[in-house]
Amino acid sequence: MKEVLAEKEFHDGRVITLSEVSKATGIHRATLSKIANEKGCNTGTDNIDALCNFFECRVEDLLVHLPEPAPKVD
């Protein structure tokens, strides 16, 4: 999410705070902070949808699939 936020700030020519994103999307600021800062953060599709609408982006612009390592076979 940090990259998409930086792109929007650059495009709009201004700083956009998580509080502003929170007000616009209805997502609690603490949840936004988790999404932005915690690898593997688990959030609902409603939050992803709201963020895509706010940033005018696609899901894949916000999410990266991190596959689980294959189990070791003895």
Side-chain angles (χ1 to χ4, degrees), residues 2-71:
K2 287 181 180 181
E3 294 86 6
V4 177
L5 180 60
E7 286 178 30
K8 183 162 180 64
E9 287 178 331
F10 179 77
H11 181 265
D12 291 1
R14 64 187 185 86
V15 173
I16 300 171
T17 65
L18 288 183
S19 293
E20 180 182 342
V21 178
S22 176
K23 286 180 187 176
T25 61
I27 302 170
H28 194 277
R29 194 197 173 294
T31 302
L32 290 171
S33 183
K34 275 185 172 182
I35 292 169
N37 297 307
E38 288 184 21
K39 229 179 203 180
C41 174
N42 186 7
T43 190
T45 55
D46 54 333
N47 288 342
I48 299 301
D49 188 50
L51 290 170
C52 285
N53 287 330
F54 178 80
F55 290 116
E56 299 175 346
C57 69
R58 301 178 314 172
V59 172
E60 54 268 28
D61 296 327
L62 293 173
L63 303 176
V64 175
H65 178 256
L66 301 172
E68 293 291 322

